[in-house]
Each structure stands twice: as C-alpha cells, then as structure tokens.
C-alpha cells in the first residue's frame, strides 16, 4: 500500500508507486491507443525539418499561441485606476476567465463584473443588461469609476456602448456625473495589449474630452500591460522621484495586485487618482514604456498637444539610459548621481558575469515590447539571441527587431517571428536549438519536450511565485534579470557536471 | 442548532440583501437560506440567470463543455473555435491528468484554436474550420478525433459547424464532434455539460454501439470523474481491487475508444452527477444500463459507496468490497488518529461547482469538522435535494453567491476554513481565513479514494494550522 499516515504521498509521488504503474499498464488494453513504436516514431518526426516545413505551412490552425484577447488587457488597465470597477459587457464566462487568469499570475484577488448576457440578450441586444448591471455594480461595490469593456457577444451583435451608457444614465443607473469609461474591445482583433491601449485611452478621454489643456510640467507614464507591474511600477516611481520629476503613472496596478494579508480584504487599493487622470491632460508629455501597448493612447495624447515618446520595456543599460535621457530632456531635470551609480553597478555586475553569458544562445517569446527589451539586454551582455517570437507582434515590430539585431555583432543569429505560435517555436527549437529559452510558464512544455531550460521573465507566470513582486525594468531590473539568467545557466551547469564531478566547481 | 444561531444567520442574509437595489435584493433573496432540518430541499432557487453587475463566480457553457467534459479526452484534438481568449484562459487549467505524449498522441494540455479575426466574423468561419481540420490531420496525424468547441461568435454569425463536422467525419472516418457550447447559452457551465453530453451521445456512443466488445459480468464505467490531480486513478484502483473491470473512464484520462464503449458496461458509476447524469440516463434508456451515484470522499462515504456498488453484483464482488475496506480502513484510521485532534470542531464554508458542496461534507465529518455554509455555482434543484442528506440544521445555503455576499458571510461567520475556487482564494486569505481551492485541489490531489483521503486530510491540516495565520496582525496594533 503506497499511502500511510507517516508518509503521505500526493500526485507528485503517488503515481510512481508500483500499484499505480500496474494500473496504468493494465488500463492500456482499454484505451485503443497507438503502439509504442508508432508513438515513438511520430515523437521523433515532429523534431525534424520536414515537420517544421509542414508546421509552417499552417494557415488556419493556431496551436499554443502566446497571446490573450483584448478585454483581458482592458480589465488589467481598469484595475490600475483609483477605486475603479472593471465591467465587461458580454457573457459572464469571459469575466470569470479574466479574473482567474490574472489571479493565477499575481496570486491576488481580481475583481470584475459582467453584464451576464444570455440568449435573450443575443436576440434583443444587451442594453437592459448594461442598465441593470451598472445600477447593481454602482450600489454594491461603491466604485469611483466604472470601466466598461466588451466581450465577443456584444461586439458581434453590435451593441453601442456610447448610446447604452447614455441611456443608463438617463434611467438613473448611475448619477449623471459619475465617471463611466468605455472601450469596445473585440476579441477577434489584436490581443490583450490592444485592449489595454483601448481602455487607457477610454479612461483618458472620459476625463479629457471637452476640457481645455493648460500645458504644465508633469509627465504621464503609461506602463503598458505588464505582469511585473507590481515590482516595476514601484521601481519606476523610485526612479522618477530620484530625478525629482512630477509625474502621473497612468494605470498603476502595483497596489491592487499586491495588498497585504492583515485581516482585511481590499477590493480596491491604490491606483491612479481620478483627479490626477483629469489633470494628466495638462502634462507636458506622455511616455509609453511599451510602444505596442499604447499606440492609440499616444496618438490621443499627441492630438491634445503633448509631447510623446515610446520605449520597448526599457531594461538594462542602453534602454534605461535612453529613458533617463529623454526624461531629463523633456523635464529639464538632471539625471542624479545616485542613478548614475546604479548604472555603474549594473555595468559592474555585467562585467563580473560576462564570461558565463557571453556567446550563450537564447530564444525569447512574449509580448512584442518584452521580447525587444530582453533581446536588447542580451545583446549588451554579448549573448546571442536566436528565435525571437511574438504571436501578437506586427510587421512593424519585426522591422524594429531586425534593426535591433543589425545594430550588434551578436545579433547575427537572430531570427524574428511575428505572428507565430509556440508550436512553431517548438519546431524552431527542435531544428535550430538555442541553449536557453526566455518566456512565461507556457514555455515549460518546450523545456520538457526539447530539454531547453526555461527562464520565466514575463506574464503569465503561474507555476512559480512572487517573481512579479521584484522589478525587471531599469538598471535595478537589469540586475534582477541578469541574476535570474545567470542562476539558470549555473544551475544547469551544476546539474550537468555533477554527473561526473569534473568541473563541479565551488567557485564560478 | 440553537434557534438563536439560526435567527442570527437569517438576520445576516437580510443585512447583506439590504446593500442591493430593491429589485436585485428581491431576486437574490430566493437564493439564500438557512436550512431547516427535515425539509426535502434547501429552500433556495437555482439554475436561473445571474444578475448583471454583481460579480457572479459562474462561468459559461464553453467552460462546462470544453473545460470540463470534452477537454480531458486525451487522444482527441479539441479546437476552441472562435477568438483566441476562451482557449487561452482554459489552457491547461483543470489539472485533468492523463498518460500520453503532448502533441503526439495526447492534446489535453494544449491550446488549439481557430483564432478568429475580423474577416472570419464578417465572412463566416466554416471554410476556415474545414481547412483547419485538414491541417490537424497533417500536424497531429495520430489523433483519434476532433471536437469543435464553439465560442460565442459561432452561434451569432450563423456558421454551420454541424455541416462541416458531418462532411469531415465522413472524409476522415473518425469522430468530428460539433459542440454548440457558445458561452451565452444557458445560465452557467451547466448547460455546457448538458450540450457536451448530448454531442457525446450522438457522435460517439450511439454511433459506436454496434462495435464488437468482449464483455464480462463485472464491467463498469466511471462517469463524471475528470481525474483532477489523478482522482479517477485513485478511484479505479479500488474498483479493480474489489474485482470489477473498469472498461472506461469518462472523461478523465479517457480515450475515444473508452468513450465509444459507453453502451457496453453492466453498470455506470457516476461521481459528478451534475455534469454527466444526462448521458447516464441515455445509456439507461437506450441500452438498459443502470447507473449509480457514488461518493469517494472520505472513508465513511467510500465504504458506503463500495458496499452499494458491490450490492449490484454477486458475492465475489461483495467479498471484494469488504476486502478492500478491510485493507484500507486501518490506514484511514491512522490518518484520522493523527489529524483529527488538530482539526476537531473546525468550521468550514464551501462554495464550489455542482457536486463538491455536498460530496465532501462527510469527509470533513470524518475529521471532526463541520460544514456551516455551502452553496453551488451551477446546481439544479435536484442537487439541492441531494444536499439535504449531507448538511445539518441551520447550515447557511447560498446559490450562485456573489463575491460580495460570500465575502460578507465569511467576514461574519469567521469559519476556520473556506473551500472554494481560485477567484475566492486570495481575498479570503487576506481576511486571515485559511483557504483551499476545491476545484483544482489547490495544485494537490488526488482527493478521491482512500489514497486521496490521506492527501485531503494533510492539505486541510496544513491550511487550517499554518503558523502564518498567527502573523496577520502587527504586534504594535491594538487588538
């Protein structure tokens, strides 16, 4: 008997016990599955160039795409505003999924409501659901703002949020002056990063439209969809404070996705103050830290007369330098010595570890700006990027990436894959492997199947805890990324050298 | 239960309802109750639409059909048909364990989708679907079938996935199942289960009824066990040990061959009644196969179930059941002896899907724990009737509870443990209340069977008795 009170074995061990191994063996007679030979032969075949070619000729089938849909980004963006309730107009299952998805990554509650549209709403439209939903949400959760995004059903039947919200106000669902931002976020266009952009723009326009801009000196920073926002936004604020810059972080989820366990559940916490959102119209400039998360938002800010600039998830030396230089140029504030010293420490760390990273090959997948930012840092360390993939990357992104690779002699091995999925990545890594893979938890299947160690550095990270609490942006973030990568390289080396004991060195 | 406590709980319901607009309060009042012993149901309304804007915990028909019923069938390719999101969020989230090689002869842990774009919405997706099925044949040639899991847009744009499936079934000579589980259908996951059962009936079971099979008098099928954390295996091992032959598992670690064997068993054993009773009723009506609900949570219910199952067979099996109970009971007793002193008298609140809010109650009872509140996301009235066999007088019952209600109930009743889902976990823990996820087993399991009870017990203890709960208040803060 495998189980005893003194030694309780759960799933990780229980099924390796002989009783269960026997059960698996005997179950096979009922399964009608392929013979071991057939399976082994197909398993070998999917690692070949021939299969890669077939795999890349797919036109209709998408397998393991590294992207989510628009409203997820909208819910995430909404969570970053003061006492703002994310509100999905559509089927309720969507909302359950968004909440679960964000919760599994942050290990934090995520609040959002739905208008629970069903068959009758599909026939008659969802206006009554929206009217009732706003009224209930306003009374029960007492938000300061409601941020509506749409899911498929509402988009396909063509529900008009502008008209619906106006009607809801007329019917008294929410007071006339209560802020309701709304964005159409069809899941069959773009991905979560587009939905993020749509919601940020919707919130800004809710407060900015019809207002006269009084140009001031503050800077708006839009962080973008970022699973590391808890650590990163705090790091950003520290940098901006160190420079003495007055700023508004537009959508800041660092508190609501990091509340304490002290006996109180805070459904809302922190976030960009609504008065600051209104005042953000007067900012001198709006910076987007992730270009492809903020295209519409930047256009909008620019149309209001603000200077705009965008970055690609700035981390490491050069990218952080550019951010600071730009901040200094726009605000006239000098870059303080404290940050210069931090820069020097990062360069120091890179020099210390250089020998272990130089020439190592890495593939990267994730959102477009993340892939760009990490690739740039890898190049700075003399590492060689190989396959760089963003399922939600555009042609423009691919061009940005190509230019980046060309800028460094270490970029020659780099191949950019826009719009491809992780089953494509599997073929790429099976035929032209890199030594390491950087991405999110979904990469663990590639790690297992191909034996390429995975370094988890981007959303979603479901199967490891707390990574998102520590910054990966800026110089400090560069240090954390460097350490994470280096730990993996040396852990792998230790495991490999432990087999013989040769090179299993105490000092590295 | 004293009259006072019951009155207090009723007052709590009233207090919570006061926070709603009047129309909403009136509707929600019908879903909340304090159970009166002797009543044949829990006195709550169920299986009706959720109220817009109040943060229901419920999911949708797609979640029920793809996520629960079809998704675990391992040698089929399950296509999330429509935009990318639904398949993404349900990708590898249910922990339905299976043996097989991902992308070679098993697809359970993959996200396979038609990734609809605007042009597919405008011009329809049937052609894309047909092409995609051909591509599956090239990319995953060892598959034994394909399911087409419809997302919301499919039913709204007038696509005819049934026609595509019919054509492809003929062409390929294998199961291509069109599942109309658009998320707007019905009021919860539940209709998705039903739709999934119906498609299984029409496209798998009935079509395969003529296939030859070498049966024995001891053939049974496990129905409604999704093998979360290996549950079905921890159940199967007991049934086999008592002398039965498990010819199929539905649908955890299932193969198409197992699903096709639906008409061949002598008895269908159903664990999750809510999600698969439909197909059991069909197999009973059409093939005369009786079905029996069983409960493999905790030694009391396991022994009771093993004997009830054995009663359907001859003495050999009855002796087998006694032998199994005699073998495992000492281990269960040792577990109880070790942990019961640590858990005795602890009060628990549950809020889960369609089975566990009642099925786990006696397992907690085995440990001396008491369920003080329970409710279902997507139960029907027959579930609430069955619940009365498990709960005590004065239990707070909440149907389709909103996060707001649940939070208030937890805050006021201060249970020692809450068992619910991922969305409820972290908010509850912030309140300083221990929590275990009872959908995914909180990344643990199995919890079924005797082996599972040991793990279940360990997990409840580590949650309730974690030292972290003693640290939530800063010492400089006045109590």
């Amino acid at each position: 008997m495998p189980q005893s009170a003194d030694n309780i074995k759960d799933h990780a061990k229980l099924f390796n016990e002989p009783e269960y191994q026997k059960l698996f063996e005997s179950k096979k007679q009922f399964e009608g599955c392929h013979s071991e030979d057939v399976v082994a032969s197909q398993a070998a075949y999917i690692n070949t160039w021939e299969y890669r070619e077939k795999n890349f000729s797919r036109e209709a089938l998408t397998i393991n795409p590294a992207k989510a849909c628009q409203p997820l980004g909208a819910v995430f963006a909404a969570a970053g505003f003061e006492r703002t309730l994310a509100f999905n107009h559509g089927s309720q299952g969507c909302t359950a999924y968004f909440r679960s998805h964000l919760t599994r990554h942050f290990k934090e509650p995520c609040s959002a409501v739905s208008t629970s549209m069903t068959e009758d709403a599909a026939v008659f439209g969802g206006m009554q659901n929206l009217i009732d939903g706003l009224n209930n949400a306003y009374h029960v959760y007492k938000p300061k703002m409601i941020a509506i995004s749409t899911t498929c059903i509402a988009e396909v039947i063509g529900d008009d949020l502008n008209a619906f919200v106006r009607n809801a106000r007329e019917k008294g669902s929410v007071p006339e002056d209560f802020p309701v931002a709304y964005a159409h976020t069809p899941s069959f266009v773009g991905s979560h990063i587009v939905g993020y952009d749509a919601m940020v723009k919707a919130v800004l326009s809710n407060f900015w439209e019809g207002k006269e801009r009084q140009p001031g000196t503050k800077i708006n920073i839009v962080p973008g969809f970022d699973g590391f926002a808890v650590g990163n936004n705090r790091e950003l604020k520290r940098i901006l404070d160190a420079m003495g810059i007055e700023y508004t972080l537009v959508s800041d989820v660092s508190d609501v996705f990091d509340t304490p366990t002290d006996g109180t559940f805070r459904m809302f916490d922190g976030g960009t103050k609504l008065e600051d959102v209104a005042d953000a119209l007067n900012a001198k400039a709006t910076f987007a830290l992730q270009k492809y998360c903020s295209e519409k938002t930047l256009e909008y800010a620019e149309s209001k007369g603000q200077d705009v600039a965008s970055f690609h998830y700035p981390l490491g030396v050069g990218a952080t330098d550019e951010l600071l230089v730009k901040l200094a140029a726009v605000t006239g504030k000098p870059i303080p010595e404290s940050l210069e010293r931090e820069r020097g420490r990062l360069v120091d760390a890179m020099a210390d570890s250089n020998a272990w990273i130089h020439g190592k090959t890495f593939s990267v997948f994730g959102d477009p700006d993340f892939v760009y930012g990490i690739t740039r840092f890898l190049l700075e360390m003399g590492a060689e990027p190989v396959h760089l993939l963003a399922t939600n990357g555009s042609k423009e992104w691919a061009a940005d990436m190509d230019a980046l690779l060309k800028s460094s002699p270490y970029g020659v091995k780099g191949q950019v894959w826009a719009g491809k999925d992780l089953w494509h990545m599997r073929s790429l890594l099976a035929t032209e492997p890199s030594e390491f893979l950087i991405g999110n938890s979904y990469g663990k299947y590639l790690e297992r199947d191909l034996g390429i160690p995975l370094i988890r550095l981007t959303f979603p990270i479901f199967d490891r805890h707390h990574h998102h609490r520590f910054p990966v942006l800026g110089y400090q973030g560069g240090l954390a990324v460097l350490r994470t990568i280096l730990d993996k390289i040396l852990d792998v080396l230790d495991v490999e050298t432990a087999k013989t004991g040769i090179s299993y060195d105490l000092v590295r | 239960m004293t009259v006072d406590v019951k009155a207090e709980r009723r007052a709590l319901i009233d207090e919570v309802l006061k926070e709603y607009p009047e129309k909403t309060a009136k509707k929600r009042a019908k879903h909340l109750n304090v159970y009166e012993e002797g009543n044949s149901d829990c006195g709550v309304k169920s299986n009706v639409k959720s109220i817009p804007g109040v943060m229901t915990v419920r999911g949708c028909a797609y979640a029920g059909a793809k996520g629960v019923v079809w998704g675990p069938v391992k040698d089929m390719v399950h296509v999330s048909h429509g935009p990318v999101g639904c398949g993404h969020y349900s990708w590898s989230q249910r922990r339905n364990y299976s043996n097989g090689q991902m992308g070679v002869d098993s697809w359970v842990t993959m996200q396979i989708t038609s990734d609809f774009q605007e042009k597919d919405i405008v011009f329809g997706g049937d052609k894309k679907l047909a092409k995609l099925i051909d591509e599956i044949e090239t990319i995953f040639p060892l598959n034994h079938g394909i399911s087409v899991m419809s997302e919301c847009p499919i039913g709204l744009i007038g696509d005819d996935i049934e026609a595509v499936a019919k054509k492809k079934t003929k062409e390929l000579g294998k199961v291509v199942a069109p599942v109309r589980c658009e998320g707007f259908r019905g009021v919860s996951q539940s209709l998705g289960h039903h739709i999934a059962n119906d498609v299984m009936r029409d496209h798998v079971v009935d079509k395969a009824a003529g296939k030859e099979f070498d049966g024995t008098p001891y053939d049974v099928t496990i129905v409604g066990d999704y093998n979360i954390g290996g549950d079905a295996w921890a159940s199967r091992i007991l049934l086999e040990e008592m002398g039965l032959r498990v010819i199929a598992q539905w649908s955890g670690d299932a193969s198409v061959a197992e699903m096709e064997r639906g008409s061949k068993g002598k008895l269908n054993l159903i664990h999750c009644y809510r999600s698969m009773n439909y197909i059991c009723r069909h197999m009973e009506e059409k093939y005369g196969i009786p079905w029996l609900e069983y409960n493999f949570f905790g030694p009391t219910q396991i022994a009771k179930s093993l004997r009830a199952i054995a009663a359907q067979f001859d003495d050999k099996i009855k002796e087998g059941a006694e032998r199994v109970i005699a073998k495992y009971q000492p281990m269960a007793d040792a577990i109880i002896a070790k942990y019961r002193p640590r858990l005795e008298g602890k009060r628990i609140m549950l809020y889960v899907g369609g089975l566990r809010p009642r099925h786990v109650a006696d397992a907690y009872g085995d440990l001396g724990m008491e369920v003080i509140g329970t409710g279902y996301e997507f139960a029907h009235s027959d579930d609430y009737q069955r619940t009365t066999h498990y709960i005590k007088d004065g239990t707070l019952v909440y149907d389709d509870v909103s996060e707001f209600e649940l939070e208030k109930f937890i805050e006021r009743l201060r249970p020692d443990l809450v068992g619910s889902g991922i969305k409820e976990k972290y908010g509850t823990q912030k309140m300083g209340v221990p929590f275990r996820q009872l959908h995914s087993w909180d990344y643990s399991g199995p919890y079924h069977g005797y082996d599972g009870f040991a793990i279940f017990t360990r997990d409840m203890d580590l949650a309730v008795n974690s030292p972290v709960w003693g640290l939530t208040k800063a010492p400089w803060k006045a109590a």
Side-chain angles (χ1 to χ4, degrees), chain A residues 3 5 11 20 27 30-31 34 51 59 61-62 64 92 99 108 114 120 136 141 259 262-263 445, chain B residues 24 49 53-54 74 92 111 113 131 135 139 142 187 253 255 258 261 338 403 430 443 445 451 473:
Chain A
Q3 206 68 291
H11 56 99
Y20 283 96
K27 183 173 181 291
F30 300 104
E31 292 183 337
H34 298 278
Y51 185 82
E59 290 174 352
L61 178 65
T62 301
N64 296 351
Q92 70 201 14
R99 296 178 60 213
E108 293 286 323
S114 165
D120 50 349
N136 284 323
Y141 299 106
T259 63
D262 60 359
Y445 299 115
Chain B
T24 304
K49 277 195 273 189
V54 301
K74 61 183 176 180
S92 236
Q111 138 68 333
T113 175
K131 187 171 183 182
E135 290 180 1
I139 301 295
L142 300 191
V187 303
D253 191 36
S255 63
E258 290 175 67
R261 214 169 283 133
K338 180 174 173 183
E403 300 283 20
K430 306 271 181 203
Y443 322 117
D451 286 340
K473 288 290 171 209

Side-chain angles (χ1 to χ4, degrees), chain B residues 348-352 356-361 364 371-376 391 396 398 401 406 415 417-420 436 438 456:
Chain B
I348 175 162
M349 282 174 65
L350 302 170
Y351 183 67
V352 212
R356 290 157 182 174
R358 63 174 180 274
H359 249 43
V360 296
Y364 285 112
V371 175
I372 61 166
T374 194
Y376 299 82
I391 60 173
L396 186 63
Y398 28 81
V401 79
L406 189 62
L417 179 67
V418 172
S420 188
R436 285 298 293 183
L438 289 188
F456 171 85

Side-chain angles (χ1 to χ4, degrees), chain A residues 68-78 86-89 94-95 98 102 149-152 155 183-189 191-196 199 225, chain B residues 85 89:
Chain A
C69 64
Q70 279 210 50
L72 179 81
V75 167
F76 179 91
F87 184 109
N88 298 127
H89 183 45
C94 316
T95 308
F98 308 144
L102 292 168
S149 49
T150 47
T151 64
C152 287
E155 284 302 315
H184 286 277
T185 49
S187 296
F188 42 83
V189 176
S191 71
H192 55 287
I193 58 176
V194 173
Y196 175 93
M199 182 49 79
F225 187 98
Chain B
Y89 310 121

Side-chain angles (χ1 to χ4, degrees), chain B residues 3-4 12 30 70 74 103 126 158 188 197 199 215 218 222 235 256 266 316 319 325 451 461:
Chain B
V3 178
D4 283 356
L12 174 59
K30 296 175 184 153
W70 277 91
K74 61 183 176 180
D126 285 342
S188 69
N197 275 232
V199 175
Y218 304 116
I222 294 177
S235 304
V256 171
K266 297 294 181 293
K316 184 187 134 194
E319 283 156 25
I325 294 166
D451 286 340
D461 174 60

Side-chain angles (χ1 to χ4, degrees), chain B residues 174-210:
Chain B
K174 57 179 145 190
V175 180
V176 180
V179 188
R180 282 282 181 186
C181 55
E182 287 88 347
F184 60 80
R185 294 191 196 279
V187 303
S188 69
Q189 292 93 315
S190 184
L191 188 63
H193 304 142
H194 197 154
I195 292 165
N197 275 232
D198 288 354
V199 175
M200 218 160 249
R201 173 194 69 202
D202 296 341
H203 290 264
V204 183
V205 176
D206 286 358
K207 279 186 180 170

Side-chain angles (χ1 to χ4, degrees), chain B residues 75-241:
Chain B
D75 55 351
M76 289 182 80
V77 177
H78 306 289
V79 180
S80 293
H81 188 39
V84 74
C86 316
H88 189 75
Y89 310 121
S90 56
W91 180 3
S92 236
Q93 295 299 349
R94 282 266 297 171
R95 301 185 67 238
N96 330 96
Y97 287 171
S98 63
N99 282 309
Q101 232 173 304
M102 184 184 112
V104 177
D105 66 345
S106 171
W107 292 270
V108 176
T109 51
M110 296 180 73
Q111 138 68 333
I112 294 163
T113 175
S114 46
D115 188 14
F116 261 35
Q117 301 300 304
E118 196 148 27
K119 64 178 188 307
D120 302 312
I121 301 287
V122 176
F123 299 111
D126 285 342
K127 276 190 188 146
K128 186 176 199 177
L129 178 61
K131 187 171 183 182
L132 170 157
I133 290 171
D134 292 340
E135 290 180 1
I136 287 175
E137 289 304 291
T138 307
I139 301 295
F140 301 131
L142 300 191
N143 80 77
H144 282 140
I146 293 163
S147 76
V148 181
M149 315 302 305
S150 303
E151 301 170 6
C152 284
I154 304 305
L156 299 169
I157 60 175
D159 272 14
D160 190 354
I161 62 165
E162 287 80 7
V164 177
K166 195 172 174 187
K167 185 161 167 275
K168 289 294 167 189
T169 301
K170 214 168 167 186
E171 260 177 54
L172 304 175
K174 57 179 145 190
V175 180
V176 180
V179 188
R180 282 282 181 186
C181 55
E182 287 88 347
F184 60 80
R185 294 191 196 279
V187 303
S188 69
Q189 292 93 315
S190 184
L191 188 63
H193 304 142
H194 197 154
I195 292 165
N197 275 232
D198 288 354
V199 175
M200 218 160 249
R201 173 194 69 202
D202 296 341
H203 290 264
V204 183
V205 176
D206 286 358
K207 279 186 180 170
K211 286 195 179 177
E212 288 290 317
F213 179 69
D214 239 353
T216 76
Y218 304 116
D219 291 353
V220 296
T221 297
I222 294 177
V223 184
D225 189 324
Y226 305 105
N227 206 32
I228 290 164
D231 279 341
W233 295 329
S235 304
R236 182 186 187 106
I237 203 165
L238 301 178
L239 298 172
E240 287 185 340
E241 272 188 67

